Amino acid sequence: MYTTQMDAAKKGIFTKEMEIVAKDENIGREELLEKIASGKIVIPCNKNHKKIYPRAIGEGTKTKVNVNLGVSEDSCDYMGEMVKVEKAIEYGADAIMDLSTFGDTKKFRKELVEKSTVMLGTVPMYDAVAKLGKNIKDMTVDDLFKVVEEHCEDGIDFLTIHAGLNRTCIDRLRNSKRLTKIVSRGGSILFQWMVLNDKENPFYEHYDRLLEICEKYDVTLSLGDGLRPGSIHDSTDGPQIQELLILGELTKRAWEKNVQVMIEGPGHVPMHEIVSNMQLEKKLCHGAPFYVLGPLVTDIAPGYDHITAAIGGAIAASAGADFLCYVTPAEHLRLPTLDDMKEGIMASRIAGHAADLAKGLKGAADWDNKMSKCRGELDWEGMFSLCIDPEKAREYRKSSMPIEEKVCTMCGDLCPMKRCNEMI
């Protein structure tokens, strides 16, 4: 038998999850086994998440998109967040992260696992604050690990743990000239705990304990970037790279225990540094799948950060990033609404698909070619059926109907498709 997908791959066992992934990703059996065994592909699939439809993240697979949601003390509507869950899946999200920091987090998490067919992630450090009701300083190491195990037992498929944010990294941070210090919420909580208690990061110091829990449930470890840059000024600086070096070391230790690993990355990165950031992660973290927030290519666009992130995400994914964490127009401003969420999902899905085309991923262009054929034939229903957002496309066309039904109001009778079709 086997303990995790990685363990199975090392033993040459082709699991039912791998069978689904191989078909969906058009990857051969031996190639998939090799890439999972070497850590280049992960299948986040907790043994207790019964309704999940397995998806792969990593080299040679389609770029995946994650949606963050959850409640805060200032905006605590669990029913509204559950509607977002249902809509996120409908809109094509591959994963959902519950980032709740207030209220009955366990009840919401359990309902998520019961209903969701997509991968689920959490940040246990958030829940520790919400659940324990203690001052951050008073949390014990056992408190933190108890929360981690509860999330695994509940059926969460991947956990963001900032295990690389150790004392060496903090020294780097203190000696840096960062404008935005720590922008990772989980990283800042952990940083505060370490400073107030004058202790090492418990997830770094007791890393083997963390790996034992993840192996038990086959939970993928998403090694968080507590020192990701929160501004383009801070991009690719000493603290960020120092933490990445530690994450590379922790990745190898996880693989030795057959624990699947993803690496989380920036953040805010100017366009000319994105490719080098992807290369650094793949080199320093031994080809582990890279999960990026954006990256956002400028700091000046609150209200439009789904666009700044889509630009960065497309470049990042074309250069090696495997998993895009969506960014909404509400980034930096408020908890996203349902409409914000949709805008973020569509922007990230477009970025991911554009990157798959640039990478020459097998079959990626089929979707575009089908759309182009329908467009050339002025087959509106065919175009709508292929749209990434059919609802919006239909609304736009319906809002301005032409005199001649086949064309649109942009060109009308001068439509080049119509004229070419009449002549050829």
Side-chain angles (χ1 to χ4, degrees), residues 11 19 57 62 89 171 194 227 253 378 380:
K11 293 174 177 175
E19 289 176 5
I57 301 168
K62 293 186 284 289
I89 295 172
D171 288 342
M194 293 166 66
L227 296 179
R253 287 176 59 186
L378 292 172
W380 293 98

Side-chain angles (χ1 to χ4, degrees), residues 158-169:
F158 63 98
L159 300 180
T160 291
I161 305 284
H162 299 89
L165 183 60
N166 63 10
R167 285 185 160 187
T168 301
C169 293

Side-chain angles (χ1 to χ4, degrees), residues 370-384:
K370 289 176 183 176
M371 173 64 87
S372 295
K373 185 174 186 297
C374 290
R375 188 167 283 150
E377 295 171 353
L378 292 172
D379 175 3
W380 293 98
E381 285 304 314
M383 283 186 264
F384 293 146

Side-chain angles (χ1 to χ4, degrees), residues 83-266:
V83 171
K84 287 183 188 176
V85 170
E86 295 166 358
K87 283 295 185 180
I89 295 172
E90 178 186 326
Y91 296 148
D94 300 292
I96 291 169
M97 286 199 79
D98 172 22
L99 306 186
S100 296
T101 58
F102 186 77
D104 193 346
T105 54
K106 184 175 179 66
K107 180 181 177 182
F108 182 63
R109 186 167 60 250
K110 293 282 281 185
E111 188 175 351
L112 263 180
V113 173
E114 289 169 6
K115 292 185 176 181
S116 176
T117 56
V118 303
M119 302 176 283
L120 297 174
T122 59
V123 186
M125 202 67 188
Y126 296 177
D127 197 29
V129 175
K131 179 183 179 64
L132 296 171
K134 296 181 178 181
N135 290 328
I136 291 172
K137 180 180 185 298
D138 296 331
M139 294 180 193
T140 67
V141 173
D142 285 342
D143 284 337
L144 297 177
F145 276 95
K146 185 177 179 182
V147 173
V148 168
E149 180 135 28
E150 184 177 295
H151 283 223
C152 294
E153 188 176 3
D154 287 345
I156 297 302
D157 304 296
F158 63 98
L159 300 180
T160 291
I161 305 284
H162 299 89
L165 183 60
N166 63 10
R167 285 185 160 187
T168 301
C169 293
I170 288 174
D171 288 342
R172 287 269 186 200
L173 176 67
R174 284 175 165 155
N175 292 324
S176 73
K177 295 182 179 179
R178 281 195 161 196
L179 295 179
T180 49
K181 306 298 188 294
I182 297 178
V183 297
S184 160
R185 184 163 51 179
S188 66
I189 296 168
L190 199 51
F191 167 75
Q192 188 176 7
W193 185 94
M194 293 166 66
V195 172
L196 292 175
N197 289 288
D198 191 24
K199 289 183 178 180
E200 181 57 277
N201 178 344
F203 296 117
Y204 179 78
E205 186 174 5
H206 305 283
Y207 189 60
D208 286 337
R209 182 176 176 181
L210 176 63
L211 296 179
E212 287 175 10
I213 297 171
C214 290
E215 182 186 21
K216 179 179 176 181
Y217 298 93
D218 194 4
V219 169
T220 299
L221 190 54
S222 190
L223 289 171
D225 52 338
L227 296 179
R228 68 173 178 266
S231 63
I232 59 170
H233 174 276
D234 299 344
S235 177
T236 326
D237 66 355
Q240 178 194 339
I241 302 306
Q242 178 65 61
E243 186 179 23
L244 191 61
L245 286 165
I246 302 298
L247 296 184
E249 297 169 5
L250 296 178
T251 296
K252 281 194 167 182
R253 287 176 59 186
W255 288 346
E256 289 170 2
K257 300 289 186 180
N258 294 317
V259 173
Q260 300 184 97
V261 174
M262 297 187 290
I263 305 296
E264 297 188 10

Side-chain angles (χ1 to χ4, degrees), residues 68 183 225 228-236 240 265-274 277-278 292-317 324-333 344 347-348 351:
N68 289 340
V183 297
D225 52 338
R228 68 173 178 266
S231 63
I232 59 170
H233 174 276
D234 299 344
S235 177
T236 326
Q240 178 194 339
H268 292 235
V269 182
M271 286 196 296
H272 63 284
E273 292 183 13
I274 292 175
N277 268 261
M278 301 307 110
V292 296
L293 179 66
L296 284 70
V297 296
T298 179
D299 301 337
I300 63 160
Y304 298 92
D305 275 331
H306 59 311
I307 297 174
T308 66
I311 294 168
I315 298 170
L324 303 180
C325 186
Y326 93 146
V327 173
T328 77
E331 185 77 9
H332 303 114
L333 300 171
S348 291

